[in-house]
Structures are given as structure tokens and as C-alpha cells.
């Protein structure tokens, strides 16, 4: 049975227009959303049987591609603070026959036990969080990662002057540079941090890992 309990409150921005969000992603990727998601998955180096969490999963596109990669023995979950996003993600997963679990929850209090996931992914979500909430989100991600687990973040990067696409220059996107979260990753205990351009619409990736078990 699907969990219908409302998520706790978040101090971040919550997007309730799920249908139009899909249209926005289509516009951002110039109709190449599948290629966009595949590029993110390649950065994650997913393997069959791994467990994956998509934080701020939106309408579930990335989570469903991840499920294809980890296969029937793998586990994929997605959380989002927007009940509308989760409702649409569940409907899309049912229609596609994708065994992905979606839950209405906030990134400041991820509803999974410690060391639950091999990989955590986040797509154009961190810029919606104020500083304290972002730090708490990263702390929670570190908590739910298994030893040696990986985090892959994709968000807007570069200075305001360096950004060229209309989406990257819009509103708070223009003032956010995902590379600025790198010091915070070290603060919460993640390591082996690297970053680079995604090659699409002023988006950058940041990748990090949890320390391996002693």
C-alpha cells in the first residue's frame, strides 16, 4: 500500500506543478531528457544489484533509468517533498512497470536507516535549499550511504557571467554554483570529491564517496 502520510515541513522550495515540471525538464534538455538521465547514470557507475536513492526525485525519470541499470536484484527509491511529484512518479512507474519505491519525504530527514544505499543521486535540487537545510541534507545523505558508497550531484554551475542558457540565468539559478558545496561535502565526512561540466545547459556534476569500511 502506498504511504499517504504527509512529509514533514521543509525550509526549501517545494514545486507542486508536477505536469509542468516534466515540460520544463524537456525544455531544459531540448527534448533530450533520456540522454540527460543516461549521462547522470554513467557518472554513478551503477552495477547490477546495487541500491540507489534519488533525493528530490521529481516525477521519477532518473530513478526509473537507475532501476534499469541495477536490474531485478537492485533496489531504487525516490523521495520528494512535493506530494504532487510523488503521485505522478508513482503513476509513471506503474505505467512503465518499473519496480521503484517513491515516498513523500524531505531531504533534511531522509526516512531510511544508516548505511542503506550504495549510491545517492541528486538532480537540480540543492539550489532549492537554503544553507542550513542544504547542510542537513548532505549530512543525511552521508548517513544513509554505505561505506564506500557514492554521491552524484547535478546542478547549475559557473558564475552568473559564465552562464549562457536561459534556465541557468533564471531567478536563483543564476546565483547558485554547485561547486560551492564541495567544502560542505568534506565537512559531513565525504571524500574523493571531483567536479566537472556535464556538457548540457550550464549544468555541472559533483561526485564524492563515503569512506570505505575499516
Amino acid at each position: 500500500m502506498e504511504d499517504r502520510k504527509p512529509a514533514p515541513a521543509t525550509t526549501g522550495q517545494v514545486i507542486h506543478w508536477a505536469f509542468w515540471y516534466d515540460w520544463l525538464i524537456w525544455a531544459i534538455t531540448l527534448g533530450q531528457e533520456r540522454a540527460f538521465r543516461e549521462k547522470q547514470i554513467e557518472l554513478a557507475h551503477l552495477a547490477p544489484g546495487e541500491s540507489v536513492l534519488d533525493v528530490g526525485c521529481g516525477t521519477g525519470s532518473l530513478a526509473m533509468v537507475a532501476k534499469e541499470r541495477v536490474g531485478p536484484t537492485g533496489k531504487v527509491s525516490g523521495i520528494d517533498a512535493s506530494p504532487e511529484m510523488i503521485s505522478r512518479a508513482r503513476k509513471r512507474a506503474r505505467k512503465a512497470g518499473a519496480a521503484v519505491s517513491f515516498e513523500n519525504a524531505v531531504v533534511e530527514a531522509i526516512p531510511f536507516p544508516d548505511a542503506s544505499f550504495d549510491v545517492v543521486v541528486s538532480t537540480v535540487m540543492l539550489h532549492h535549499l537554503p544553507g542550513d537545510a542544504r547542510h542537513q541534507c548532505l549530512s543525511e545523505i552521508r548517513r544513509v550511504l554505505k561505506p564506500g558508497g557514492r554521491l552524484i550531484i547535478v546542478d547549475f554551475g559557473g558564475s552568473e557571467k559564465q552562464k549562457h542558457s536561459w534556465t541557468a540565468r533564471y531567478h536563483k539559478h543564476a546565483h547558485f554554483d554547485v561547486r560551492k558545496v564541495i567544502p560542505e561535502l568534506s565537512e559531513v565526512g565525504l571524500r574523493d570529491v571531483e567536479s566537472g561540466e556535464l556538457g548540457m545547459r550550464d549544468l555541472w556534476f559533483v561526485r564524492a564517496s563515503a569512506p570505505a569500511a575499516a
Side-chain angles (χ1 to χ4, degrees):
M1 182 178 295
E2 294 179 351
D3 184 4
R4 299 298 183 183
K5 294 185 293 183
T10 177
T11 56
Q13 180 184 4
V14 180
I15 298 174
H16 296 284
W17 29 276
F19 175 82
W20 292 110
Y21 178 81
D22 281 341
W23 179 89
L24 177 61
I25 294 298
W26 181 90
I28 289 174
T29 62
L30 300 178
Q32 301 295 312
E33 183 181 4
R34 177 71 189 199
F36 171 50
R37 302 303 187 187
E38 291 281 0
K39 187 171 291 190
Q40 294 173 269
I41 293 302
E42 291 298 332
L43 288 169
H45 302 304
L46 295 184
E50 288 194 309
S51 53
V52 183
L53 174 64
D54 186 356
V55 292
C57 64
T59 60
S61 298
L62 182 61
M64 287 189 283
V65 175
K67 179 58 179 173
E68 293 176 11
R69 292 297 183 93
V70 300
T73 60
K75 178 185 73 171
V76 179
S77 301
I79 63 169
D80 201 287
S82 169
E84 294 85 358
M85 291 288 190
I86 292 300
S87 177
R88 186 164 174 80
R90 286 169 172 164
K91 289 177 182 176
R92 295 182 68 201
R94 282 196 297 267
K95 184 176 180 180
V100 180
S101 173
F102 293 106
E103 185 169 345
N104 186 206
V106 299
V107 295
E108 300 99 317
I110 296 176
F112 293 99
D114 296 359
S116 293
F117 296 97
D118 297 295
V119 179
V120 175
V121 294
S122 167
T123 310
V124 291
M125 183 275 294
L126 286 184
H127 71 270
H128 290 300
L129 301 175
D132 289 347
R134 184 173 63 244
H135 191 82
Q136 182 60 30
C137 169
L138 295 174
S139 295
E140 281 289 278
I141 288 172
R142 168 66 183 90
R143 180 183 65 79
V144 300
L145 274 175
K146 296 178 181 179
R150 292 102 65 198
L151 166 64
I152 296 86
I153 300 167
V154 171
D155 216 312
F156 295 103
S159 69
E160 188 171 355
K161 290 182 179 180
Q162 291 173 320
K163 292 173 181 172
H164 302 290
S165 65
W166 66 268
T167 48
R169 296 179 64 85
Y170 173 73
H171 192 37
K172 65 180 64 178
H173 300 177
H175 306 293
F176 184 80
D177 184 348
V178 69
R179 293 172 296 177
K180 292 182 179 179
V181 308
I182 289 176
E184 293 183 73
L185 297 178
S186 298
E187 289 173 14
V188 301
L190 295 170
R191 65 182 192 182
D192 301 325
V193 181
E194 57 182 317
S195 67
E197 294 184 74
L198 193 68
M200 182 177 289
R201 310 293 279 177
D202 295 307
L203 293 171
W204 284 63
F205 75 87
V206 174
R207 184 165 48 195
S209 61

